Every structure is written in structure tokens, then in C-alpha cells.
Amino acid sequence: NAGVTQTPKFRILKIGQSMTLQCAQDMNHNYMYWYRQDPGMGLKLIYYSVGAGITDKGEVPNGYNVSRSTTEDFPLRLELAAPSQTSVYFCASSYGRGHPLDEQFFGPGTRLTVL
Amino acid sequence: AQKITQTQPGMFVQEKEAVTLDCTYDTSDPSYGLFWYKQPSSGEMIFLIYQGSYDQQNATEGRYSLNFQKARKSANLVISASQLGDSAMYFCAMREGRAGNQFYFGTGTSLTVIP
């Protein structure tokens, strides 16, 4: 099993450009999450999904969009990149649905810089 | 109010000594889960230990144990016999509800193990 995979690992964007961060998991997890981690800070939830076709906003959703057409994939879209979106982005997945041990499995992260 | 508070930005411990990393949480939900993650300098998030709100005993995983004091709303991580490889950022996190959808992370504690 590959676990949670993210692409790309690094990206530099110009202000106003758009891009999609890819995330995939092969553990048949129901729940998937996108976080951002600013330097020296903890993780803040951007969006999450409890299953294919279902998404919801987290703590910091502005400037981002998501979709979940399959159980495996959960891409994050940045439409008009801004310097404030410079961060490390983590995708995570978990069993959810009342699983007794609902730990999150994290991808390796995408380091995004907006100039 | 912060859901998760970690008041120690940085900690130092001598190799082979034990260290306690503090975490307090805020929730009115009687059912919740508490997690600790390790983030080495390489950036990945590694799950360490889990404590459920209804668990009667403190969780243990190898050299990691969780000192769970429900009345005080604290979930401190204890690392015994510290090793150089324990040097990393440590994050406390909480999920509210049996199948709660959101995880809340603290700002982390940077642990340095001194030889």
C-alpha cells in the first residue's frame, strides 16, 4: 500500500495563477482532509470529505475548492493564488464513521510558495 | 477559545531521561478522542498515540504514554528514555464526537534531545 500520496512535492506560483494539489489514498478510507501548516504553527483544516460526493468547509476554506468524485482522490484547487497561501499543505485520510481508532494518516505534504 | 493548547513552544531533555509535553483541550462533548503526532524535520506527520474520552486507563505505546486527566482536561505526552531521534515537533490533536468530522491541532512543542 502506498498510503496517502500527494503531488507535487514543491511548487512556486505567481500571484493570480491557479493550480490543483493532488491527493490519493489506497486504504479505502471514507474520510479525507486538507490542512495547511504555516511556519512554526500547527495544522489548520481547509476542507474535508466524509465520502465520495460530500465535502465541507473547515476552519480556513477561503481561496480554495475541493471535489471528491471517488473514494480514493481528493484534489484541492487554488483559483487565484495569493502570497497568504504560501504554506505546506497536507492531505490526510481516516476510516471515520465511528471507527474505534480514527487516527489520521498523512501524506508527505506539498510545499507551496506564491510570489 | 482554543480547542487545543500547547504552552511549551520548546523543550530540552537529556538523552535517556523522560520528558512530559503538555496539552490541554476544550470541549463540552462527552465523547472525544485525543491524539499525539510527531513531525520530524523531514516534515511528515507520524501518529504516536491515541486516548479516547471513555478509556479507563492511560494509553501506552512503547516509550510513549499519555497522562490523561479528564477533570483537568489535560492529555500530556510522556516520552521515557529519550533518544536523539525523538528530536522533533510534537502536536496534540482532538476529534470531537464519536464520528466527529474535524480534528483540531495545537501549535506544537519543539523537543530537542541533548546527548
Side-chain angles (χ1 to χ4, degrees):
Chain A
N1 284 353
V4 180
T5 58
Q6 291 183 240
T7 56
K9 291 187 177 176
F10 304 93
R11 183 73 185 267
I12 298 175
L13 282 182
K14 294 183 179 179
I15 294 172
Q17 285 185 320
S18 301
M19 77 163 294
T20 299
L21 281 66
Q22 301 292 343
C23 174
Q25 54 91 9
D26 61 359
M27 297 173 281
N28 203 30
H29 284 166
N30 292 312
Y31 286 29
M32 295 187 75
Y33 310 79
W34 274 107
Y35 293 92
R36 60 177 286 172
Q37 184 180 27
D38 297 331
M41 301 296 289
L43 279 70
K44 290 189 182 296
L45 183 65
I46 304 171
Y47 271 96
Y48 64 95
S49 168
V50 301
I54 306 170
T55 62
D56 210 343
K57 296 177 181 179
E59 189 179 355
V60 290
N62 291 345
Y64 307 94
N65 277 300
V66 293
S67 60
R68 183 106 181 263
S69 57
T70 66
T71 300
E72 294 78 20
D73 300 299
F74 190 40
L76 177 72
R77 178 87 178 155
L78 283 71
E79 289 295 346
L80 292 170
S84 61
Q85 293 177 305
T86 294
S87 190
V88 178
Y89 291 83
F90 286 99
C91 179
S93 70
S94 69
Y95 287 106
R97 294 187 190 275
H99 194 275
L101 176 53
D102 190 21
E103 71 178 270
Q104 291 188 313
F105 294 80
F106 282 84
T110 294
R111 187 175 296 274
L112 176 67
T113 303
V114 182
L115 300 174
Chain B
Q2 293 289 332
K3 290 282 189 181
I4 295 287
T5 302
Q6 294 180 254
T7 58
Q8 306 155 312
M11 292 279 288
F12 292 87
V13 64
Q14 205 76 35
E15 194 177 6
K16 300 180 184 176
E17 297 291 314
V19 63
T20 298
L21 307 183
D22 294 341
C23 172
T24 58
Y25 58 92
D26 181 30
T27 182
S28 57
D29 194 327
S31 175
Y32 51 90
L34 297 159
F35 303 77
W36 277 92
Y37 285 86
K38 173 184 178 181
Q39 187 177 42
S41 58
S42 52
E44 72 267 33
M45 295 288 285
I46 303 167
F47 167 73
L48 295 177
I49 196 167
Y50 165 82
Q51 179 85 42
S53 59
Y54 295 120
D55 293 344
Q56 295 295 316
Q57 295 193 333
N58 288 344
T60 59
E61 286 287 346
R63 294 186 299 110
Y64 304 109
S65 60
L66 201 151
N67 184 359
F68 181 45
Q69 298 188 41
K70 200 169 183 176
R72 290 187 169 186
K73 293 188 175 179
S74 75
N76 298 339
L77 177 71
V78 180
I79 305 174
S80 63
S82 297
Q83 301 172 356
L84 295 178
D86 294 334
S87 294
M89 283 290 289
Y90 289 82
F91 292 97
C92 179
M94 176 177 68
R95 185 210 63 225
E96 291 176 310
R98 185 161 178 77
N101 296 334
Q102 295 200 32
F103 282 71
Y104 300 94
F105 282 80
T107 52
T109 295
S110 175
L111 177 66
T112 302
V113 180
I114 303 167

